[in-house]
Amino acid sequence: MSLPLKLSLKPGEAVIVNGAVLRNGERRGTLLLANRSRVLREKDILRPDDAVSASERAYFAIMQMYLTDEIDGPLYDQAASALSAALSSVESDEMRAMILSISKACAAGETYKAISECRKLMKHVRAATGEADA
């Protein structure tokens, strides 16, 4: 038996659990998830209109795969296209290696690992282009 996932939520903070949006009340709260769930905090959710760069479009596609638990089909194709575009848009070997690692995680169905690595990639891209970190 695995240990439950403990989420500490700030007042008003939202989290997605298996597709349901849960929003915390007025006080700090704790949520214990006793079984395996697809969880994404509000701060890690990228909205479609905010996905403007190639790395953000890749993140958005992979995020959708994770939230819907779809590891093949149209969302996988969308993620593969976005990752290909991201690979073409970067110049450093380090970022190319990151994209290839993200692609391998997607192909293996490890979508949470892929979105975690994609968050790191987006930070690297922002630093390389001089954008402020969101």
Side-chain angles (χ1 to χ4, degrees), residues 24-133:
N24 193 29
E26 297 174 4
R27 297 188 185 134
R28 182 175 270 300
T30 302
L31 187 62
L32 295 174
L33 300 173
N35 60 341
R36 189 175 175 99
S37 303
R38 292 179 315 280
V39 177
L40 202 57
R41 288 183 174 274
E42 185 174 27
K43 68 178 181 150
D44 295 325
I45 297 169
L46 185 65
R47 287 164 178 63
D49 295 342
D50 296 331
V52 293
S53 72
S55 61
E56 290 166 340
R57 285 188 294 276
Y59 180 89
F60 182 77
I62 297 164
M63 180 189 75
Q64 288 182 301
M65 286 177 61
Y66 172 70
L67 289 173
T68 61
D69 201 25
E70 181 181 311
I71 57 172
D72 58 10
L75 290 179
Y76 178 83
D77 295 343
Q78 182 183 4
S81 273
L83 287 167
S84 177
L87 192 61
S88 299
S89 72
V90 298
E91 295 182 14
S92 85
D93 289 339
E94 179 185 9
M95 285 193 262
R96 282 190 193 98
M98 292 174 83
I99 293 168
L100 292 175
S101 178
I102 294 164
S103 182
K104 286 178 187 175
C106 282
E110 299 171 339
T111 53
Y112 188 79
K113 178 180 178 182
I115 61 174
S116 294
E117 291 181 12
C118 206
R119 273 195 297 272
K120 293 175 189 171
L121 172 66
M122 290 188 309
K123 284 186 178 191
H124 276 78
V125 168
R126 287 182 189 122
T129 60
E131 291 182 37
D133 196 15

